[in-house]
Amino acid sequence: MKFILMLAMALFSTSAFSITFDETIKLYLNKQYEPAYHSFIELSQLGNTKAQLNVAVMHARGEYVEKDLSTAYAWALVAKHNGEEGADNILGLINKRLTEKELKLAHQEQEKLLMNMDVGVLSKKLVPSYSGNFTGYERVRVLSSARPKYPTSAAIRGHIAVVDFVSMVGKDGSTRFHTPLSKNKKSFSDESLNAYKKTIYQPASFKNRPVNAFGITHRYSYLMADSKVAVKKAQKILDDLRNKAINGSGIDMYAYAKNVSNFKSALGSTDGFDDVEIDNNFEWLYKSAQEGVSIAKYELGISALHGDQCDDNFEQSLIWLNSVAKDGLADANMIMGYEYILGARVDKDEVRGFSLLERAANANLDHARIFLAWLLATYPDEKYIDYQKSQQLLSTIDPKVYIDLRSYYEAMAATALGLGDKKAAQKALKKLAKQNKKYGTPEDRQVSLQNALQQGLSYSEEI
């Protein structure tokens, strides 16, 4: 049976942690001027021209800030420079009320503002690109992987799927902290997760030093052997999504960016793909990020962090991940916490790093709780060791539902060794051994933990 493949529609969760532009407008209309002003400023710094114009309005009216028509005029000039259509009306109203001296001051302030808010400069600064430059960061690459089985019932019915995961790739090359990114039938998700746990990477390295790599994505595409793109239908779906993105919210822009990305990734080698007109998904992610959508900012940060379809650019990644960490996205706090503790691409700051990990753990991110528990039980600097706290963090995890049992049992074993509980350590190591055997994953850490147990020692490990 010949199957005509339609557009893959798998999406990340679109729950936003930050205050988007639409939500900021609601704050403003409800006269919650202080949070509205700060949100407009943050969005302005990402290149949101509507937010820039609203900052002008708030300065003109003296809402939260002191009334200042010169400053208001400067912000409206910035919005106009960046192409905001509504700026002329505001400029016309304010211009009549300014002296020549005030106008001169406004233009001077505009020039200062544009140094950080010119949309052309911001685009070059914040949108990932590819030049092939090497920065000393070696990306992960797959060494071996298992092919998931196509669920029989799905194959019979001609069902297709795109299943995405994000994980940490550890220093041993195994995948950890797996998180599904798309909703699919359970049969597709289970087969994909089973295969992904067996995937082994060449680990990331920075200046020849193996490092953990957070935010690594992997995709499984379930397509029929004779699948091909139904060009007209696919183009219509993409065009409809694009029109919705143009006229809709930041979430609509994000949905379009993700569908474009999915289309490219899943169907790039499929017959008919080259006949479909496709946009740059990074540009639409940026548009979504300008509207304040956290998941869009997070994806831009992760792409720049690892050079996923673009150059790795840690300075660019830092901008996005710090922004989304401020929004409260626990995953970003976890990543930035690790980077500050590692001290490879930013100045080492253990206090700040552990604080960010604490924040992620307190946000109910199980991955962060286990990673923090592991560090509290194994960190080389004893002043950060806290076995009791590690044990408390692990007690919040339900092993019946948690995905990454290898990392869980490793942390359990290390914590038990630190507490001198040999029986608990041995029990955790037995369960760890079963996981390693099941998925064919590296046993180096298991062996090291076992040696510590035999010698009656606690266990420590360089990060």
Side-chain angles (χ1 to χ4, degrees):
M1 178 181 70
K2 192 155 189 174
F3 187 82
I4 307 299
L5 183 64
M6 296 299 292
L7 180 64
M9 296 292 289
L11 291 175
F12 282 81
S13 166
T14 53
S15 58
F17 291 77
S18 60
I19 299 178
T20 64
F21 178 79
D22 290 342
E23 291 166 335
T24 305
I25 288 293
K26 291 178 183 177
L27 288 174
Y28 177 80
L29 293 176
N30 287 327
K31 298 185 178 181
Q32 294 177 263
Y33 294 135
E34 181 175 355
Y37 180 82
H38 290 305
S39 182
F40 281 139
I41 289 290
E42 183 174 342
L43 293 169
S44 294
Q45 292 169 342
L46 296 177
N48 188 307
T49 59
K50 299 188 297 294
Q52 292 164 0
L53 193 57
N54 276 279
V55 173
V57 170
M58 294 188 76
H59 278 284
R61 293 177 175 174
E63 294 164 334
Y64 173 62
V65 293
E66 186 176 344
K67 186 173 182 178
D68 186 333
L69 292 181
S70 181
T71 297
Y73 197 75
W75 276 93
L77 285 171
V78 169
K80 178 179 173 62
H81 171 89
N82 287 331
E84 179 56 40
E85 295 179 358
D88 281 331
N89 292 333
I90 303 297
L91 288 168
L93 290 171
I94 300 175
N95 181 274
K96 302 173 183 177
R97 302 167 63 183
L98 293 177
T99 65
E100 287 188 14
K101 182 179 180 180
E102 289 172 329
L103 282 171
K104 183 178 180 180
L105 288 173
H107 281 283
Q108 290 174 347
E109 187 172 356
Q110 176 211 11
E111 292 301 317
K112 292 179 181 178
L113 290 170
L114 281 176
M115 291 175 66
N116 295 313
M117 277 182 266
D118 179 278
V119 291
V121 173
L122 282 173
S123 179
K124 291 179 180 178
K125 181 180 179 182
L126 297 175
V127 180
S129 60
Y130 183 76
S131 68
N133 292 332
F134 177 67
T135 63
Y137 179 81
E138 287 281 2
R139 308 168 192 172
V140 301
R141 58 185 178 86
V142 175
L143 294 178
S144 64
S145 60
R147 182 186 296 273
K149 296 178 181 177
Y150 208 122
T152 304
S153 60
I156 292 173
R157 292 173 173 80
H159 291 168
I160 63 169
V162 174
V163 182
D164 290 315
F165 285 99
V166 64
S167 74
M168 179 189 88
V169 172
K171 294 181 293 181
D172 62 359
S174 65
T175 61
R176 298 171 178 275
F177 304 146
H178 321 84
T179 302
L181 298 176
S182 50
K183 294 181 179 180
N184 289 283
K185 291 182 180 295
K186 189 174 185 299
S187 57
F188 284 122
S189 298
D190 289 349
E191 290 291 347
S192 300
L193 179 60
N194 185 60
Y196 192 40
K197 286 185 176 183
K198 297 176 181 177
T199 299
I200 301 297
Y201 287 82
Q202 173 70 42
S205 66
F206 187 76
K207 296 182 179 178
N208 298 316
R209 175 187 177 186
V211 293
N212 295 319
F214 287 86
I216 301 299
T217 57
H218 195 85
R219 167 167 289 169
Y220 293 99
S221 298
Y222 294 84
L223 309 176
M224 308 303 290
D226 55 355
S227 298
K228 68 177 183 179
V229 176
V231 177
K232 289 184 178 180
K233 292 182 179 179
Q235 189 69 66
K236 185 179 186 307
I237 292 173
L238 284 172
D239 289 346
D240 288 346
L241 286 168
R242 188 178 192 277
N243 288 332
K244 187 175 181 181
I246 290 172
N247 299 305
S249 67
I251 295 297
D252 295 319
M253 296 172 188
Y254 173 78
Y256 177 57
K258 283 306 299 177
N259 275 279
V260 169
S261 174
N262 287 345
F263 189 84
K264 290 178 179 178
S265 176
L267 308 175
S269 60
T270 306
D271 184 26
F273 173 83
D274 291 335
D275 296 322
V276 181
E277 294 182 10
I278 306 171
D279 281 346
N280 182 329
N281 52 294
F282 282 126
E283 290 181 0
W284 281 96
L285 272 181
Y286 178 46
K287 290 177 186 292
S288 178
Q290 287 178 303
E291 294 293 312
V293 178
S294 283
I295 191 65
K297 292 191 278 187
Y298 178 73
E299 287 197 41
L300 287 167
I302 289 297
S303 294
L305 182 66
H306 297 301
D308 182 11
Q309 303 178 59
C310 61
D311 292 332
D312 58 283
N313 184 330
F314 188 70
E315 290 183 0
Q316 185 182 89
S317 176
L318 197 64
I319 293 170
W320 288 119
L321 291 178
N322 272 329
S323 175
V324 79
K326 248 179 25 177
D327 294 343
L329 190 65
D331 299 77
N333 280 310
M334 183 178 178
I335 293 171
M336 293 309 303
Y338 170 71
E339 291 291 343
Y340 281 111
I341 292 171
L342 179 67
R345 294 184 284 190
V346 292
D347 291 336
K348 191 177 183 70
D349 188 339
E350 292 166 311
V351 172
R352 184 176 184 182
F354 275 97
S355 175
L356 288 168
L357 280 175
E358 286 262 13
R359 195 178 303 173
N362 291 337
N364 296 323
L365 181 63
D366 285 346
H367 299 326
R369 290 179 175 183
I370 289 177
F371 188 56
L372 179 57
W374 169 258
L375 292 179
L376 292 172
T378 66
Y379 202 68
D381 189 338
E382 290 187 1
K383 71 181 178 183
Y384 292 102
I385 293 295
D386 190 336
Y387 298 118
Q388 296 292 342
K389 187 171 183 178
S390 176
Q391 187 177 53
Q392 189 277 325
L393 287 166
L394 292 170
S395 71
T396 66
I397 306 298
D398 184 355
K400 293 180 181 179
V401 298
Y402 185 64
I403 290 178
D404 181 16
L405 291 177
R406 286 181 66 236
S407 295
Y408 172 73
Y409 290 129
E410 287 171 351
M412 288 286 287
T415 301
L417 287 173
L419 293 170
D421 190 340
K422 293 183 178 181
K423 186 176 180 180
Q426 185 63 58
K427 183 178 179 181
L429 284 169
K430 285 183 178 179
K431 292 183 177 181
L432 173 60
K434 289 182 180 179
Q435 289 291 310
N436 283 328
K437 182 178 180 180
K438 180 177 180 180
Y439 297 106
T441 39
E443 299 178 355
D444 305 50
R445 186 175 278 173
Q446 174 193 325
V447 171
S448 296
L449 286 163
Q450 188 69 50
N451 289 338
L453 173 63
Q454 291 172 353
Q455 296 173 46
L457 302 172
S458 58
Y459 179 77
S460 66
E461 183 180 296
E462 292 291 336
I463 189 170

